[in-house]
Amino acid sequence: MSALPVPADATLPATTAQLFIDNEAVPAQTGQTLPVVDPSTGTVFGQIARGQRDDVDRAVRSARRAFDGPWGRTDAAQRGRLLLKLAQLVEREREPLARIESRDTGKPLRQARADATALARYFEFYGGAADKLHGQTLPYQEGYTVMTLREPHGVTGHIVPWNYPMQIFGRSVGASLAAGNACVVKPAEDACLSLLRIGELAAEAGLPPGTLNIVPGLGAEAGQALAEHPGVDHLSFTGSTDTGRRVAQAAAAHFCPVTLELGGKSPQLVFADADLQAAMPVLVNAIIQNAGQTCSAGSRILVERSIYDATVAQLAERFAALRAGPASADLDLGPLVTRKQQQRVWDFLSDAQASDLRFAAQGQIVDHAPSEGFYQAPVLLADVPIEHRLSQHEIFGPVLIVTPFDDEAQALAFANGTDYGLVAGVWTQDGARQMRIARRLQSGQVFINNYGAGGGVELPFGGVKHSGYGREKGFEALYAFTSLKTVAIRHG
Ligand code: NDP
């Protein structure tokens, strides 16, 4: 039975998307549902099952059965083949998946297509890596042979946010399955339709029942229940610092290891010798992509004072030309995901007005954008002091902050001067400075003369400080999804 009818044109009928447990679409045990809202129009276009504690428990038990049974007995090469098959199925379904994601989250179609492509690439990367993950033999005393074994944890929980459902699902579930775990996923209630469809594709690829279970529902209900569940052996969480703290506390009660990816206030440092022509489109895209709702958004630009005015003028020219509109119109940016997120951005902008910050430029919302959609035109704020709330906190909207600096030491102090440390960009031609700064930045990733490297499935990703801990993506992520066992044999 299909969890969700998937027409190619994304005009989804008003229907109820069910939970996906044991390779089957099932209703929530309470029978309750939640509305699915189209951010481009503000209208309800479907319902999803409202998973709660009992449903999460059912999903965890299903995953445990798979891990103790057929999935746990599947060897690494076969796990890899199944993930590669899943990658092919995602490729086959790229367009309908992109259309679902675009309607559900409000992101422009081309972004949703890029997300579907990245999802396939995650399954491809981790499918290829599954049989290359191994332990070591260690030199030890005469008469011993000592080895390490990398073993799956068992059942892993994945709490996925609404901003990049497919990509964030792919990076964490792909790595976990490759390592041999069975998964229970709690998507954001505001963006779960694409993931329910991927559950069906995983079943079609041949993953045994229970290997991948998906339980949409409210964070405070299904999410909290997953974090607290004693049958979960590892948790991956992506979202806000406050919820991340709550999830880590709940997991600590049963000594469950956690990977936390908690967003940032990522700076881009622009020095006077930078190639501004190359930098400019990257600086703009790093904040308007996904309407600024990106954990690694380049949301602050720090510019050396001698080129500050010229840089702000160039940014302003580009910002004034940006257009926001319905997801299907595929403009520079779509709406924000929810009314709540729109209100959050408005609150920050009211604060900017109250503080007399300089609105250097603003893009437009196109005339045909429905008035009930959750739109926000991109905003460029100049001369923002480093200690201001807008320089310190993640806005998660299309709002770019620009601040001047006088020298390298001050640039570094400003860059490191927030609680976050996820990503940083540096624009300079000076090789020695590139290395100095890369080493001194408190950040999980540093990009020199580029930003984001096109997503980088292969590149380990995660933060320091309040941006979280642990690494997703790349080969590194596989280690988090295994536990290391040391075996010492005394043979004389
Ligand atoms: P949350 O951190 O609350 O939500 C992220 C995920 O956690 C969602 O799946 C959510 O479910 C779930 N969740 C919520 N409460 C709990 C809980 N008590 N236990 C377990 N899981 C829970 O973020 P918001 O959606 O409220 O967004 C607020 C801000 O968080 C944004 O403005 C942004 O700054 C930041 N954020 C950062 C992201 C990133 O990529 N690093 C992604 C999303 C948000 P549900 O949505 O169904 O409630």
Side-chain angles (χ1 to χ4, degrees):
M1 184 169 74
S2 175
L4 181 77
V6 186
D9 63 358
T11 50
L12 298 172
T15 186
T16 300
Q18 309 287 24
L19 317 176
F20 189 77
I21 299 176
D22 252 340
N23 279 2
E24 281 187 16
V26 293
Q29 292 190 30
T30 62
Q32 291 177 6
T33 61
L34 296 164
V36 184
V37 177
D38 179 343
S40 296
T41 61
T43 55
V44 173
F45 68 99
Q47 298 284 320
I48 50 162
R50 177 176 177 171
Q52 299 191 43
R53 192 166 291 274
D54 288 348
D55 303 297
V56 168
D57 184 56
R58 182 175 173 189
V60 172
R61 286 173 194 279
S62 161
R64 179 64 61 190
R65 277 195 304 277
F67 183 74
D68 289 342
W71 182 243
R73 290 195 294 272
T74 304
D75 65 39
Q78 178 60 7
R79 289 200 304 270
R81 277 181 218 114
L82 290 170
L83 286 175
L84 292 172
K85 176 85 191 300
L86 180 52
Q88 286 169 357
L89 295 178
V90 170
E91 283 286 357
R92 186 192 75 192
E93 299 287 320
R94 176 175 177 264
E95 189 60 22
L97 280 170
R99 285 179 182 271
I100 292 173
E101 191 84 315
S102 174
R103 178 109 194 252
D104 204 10
T105 63
K107 62 178 71 194
L109 259 174
R110 84 182 167 279
Q111 171 72 61
R113 288 187 184 115
D115 289 0
T117 300
L119 171 68
R121 176 74 188 117
Y122 277 115
F123 290 139
E124 184 185 60
F125 180 85
Y126 286 116
D131 59 356
K132 290 151 195 89
L133 177 66
H134 54 74
Q136 295 177 319
T137 53
L138 308 179
Y140 194 55
Q141 295 170 16
E142 177 63 26
Y144 284 84
T145 296
V146 180
M147 68 189 90
T148 56
L149 306 177
R150 286 213 166 265
E151 298 181 332
H153 293 293
V155 175
T156 56
H158 306 257
I159 299 174
V160 176
W162 40 261
N163 54 342
Y164 289 87
M166 288 196 282
Q167 290 213 38
I168 293 171
F169 174 94
R171 76 187 187 196
S172 106
V173 169
S176 179
L177 291 175
N181 302 285
C183 303
V184 178
V185 179
K186 206 303 277 181
E189 101 249 12
D190 296 313
C192 61
L193 299 182
S194 60
L195 304 194
L196 292 166
R197 176 67 185 132
I198 294 159
E200 293 178 334
L201 296 178
E204 185 182 337
L207 263 69
T211 305
L212 172 60
N213 306 280
I214 302 170
V215 185
L218 298 175
E221 296 176 355
Q224 189 74 26
L226 186 60
E228 288 173 0
H229 201 295
V232 172
D233 304 306
H234 180 278
L235 268 168
S236 303
F237 172 82
T238 303
S240 63
T241 43
D242 286 347
T243 305
R245 188 177 288 116
R246 217 169 301 138
V247 164
Q249 281 166 350
H254 58 108
F255 302 99
C256 175
V258 187
T259 300
L260 294 177
E261 197 271 86
L262 306 177
K265 190 73 183 173
S266 298
Q268 297 216 54
L269 286 61
V270 183
F271 286 87
D273 66 346
D275 178 348
L276 258 196
Q277 211 183 335
M280 203 48 67
V282 182
L283 296 174
V284 174
N285 187 55
I287 186 64
I288 64 151
Q289 179 178 310
N290 213 34
Q293 303 166 119
T294 304
C295 46
S296 56
S299 51
R300 293 189 289 152
I301 301 190
L302 307 172
V303 187
E304 191 158 8
R305 199 174 294 278
S306 60
I307 58 160
Y308 182 74
D309 289 343
T311 305
V312 172
Q314 286 190 41
L315 286 168
E317 194 180 327
R318 286 175 184 261
F319 262 67
L322 293 170
R323 290 180 312 151
S328 57
D330 215 6
L331 302 171
D332 300 307
L333 56 169
L336 299 172
V337 70
T338 53
R339 179 82 63 211
K340 176 181 148 203
Q341 196 59 27
Q342 187 188 38
Q343 189 60 53
R344 176 186 164 99
V345 175
W346 286 352
D347 289 347
F348 274 104
L349 291 175
S350 304
D351 191 358
Q353 268 167 342
S355 313
D356 274 336
L357 293 185
R358 177 154 77 96
F359 282 67
Q362 183 150 347
Q364 296 154 27
I365 299 170
V366 292
D367 290 343
H368 61 86
S371 57
E372 293 305 307
F374 311 138
Y375 298 97
Q376 171 59 52
V379 173
L380 179 69
L381 291 171
D383 321 338
V384 183
I386 183 69
E387 61 281 359
H388 194 280
R389 178 169 168 259
L390 273 86
S391 285
Q392 291 290 324
H393 292 281
E394 185 176 55
I395 299 172
F396 233 55
V399 181
L400 183 59
I401 307 290
V402 196
T403 306
F405 66 81
D406 289 313
D407 56 26
E408 191 177 306
Q410 191 177 48
L412 263 170
F414 285 180
N416 291 336
T418 72
D419 286 338
Y420 292 104
L422 189 61
V423 177
V426 184
W427 296 85
T428 177
Q429 312 277 7
D430 179 337
R433 177 188 277 153
Q434 290 170 2
M435 280 313 305
R436 255 192 328 268
I437 294 198
R439 285 176 173 270
R440 290 176 191 164
L441 279 167
Q442 296 167 347
S443 184
Q445 286 190 328
V446 177
F447 295 99
I448 311 283
N449 294 331
N450 76 96
Y451 193 81
V457 167
E458 306 83 352
L459 314 184
F461 177 69
V464 297
K465 305 196 291 186
H466 291 200
S467 289
Y469 48 76
R471 293 292 175 265
E472 306 261 18
K473 301 169 73 163
F475 204 84
E476 192 71 26
L478 289 167
Y479 298 135
F481 288 109
T482 58
S483 139
L484 197 72
K485 181 183 282 172
T486 305
V487 180
I489 306 164
R490 187 173 176 207
H491 41 66

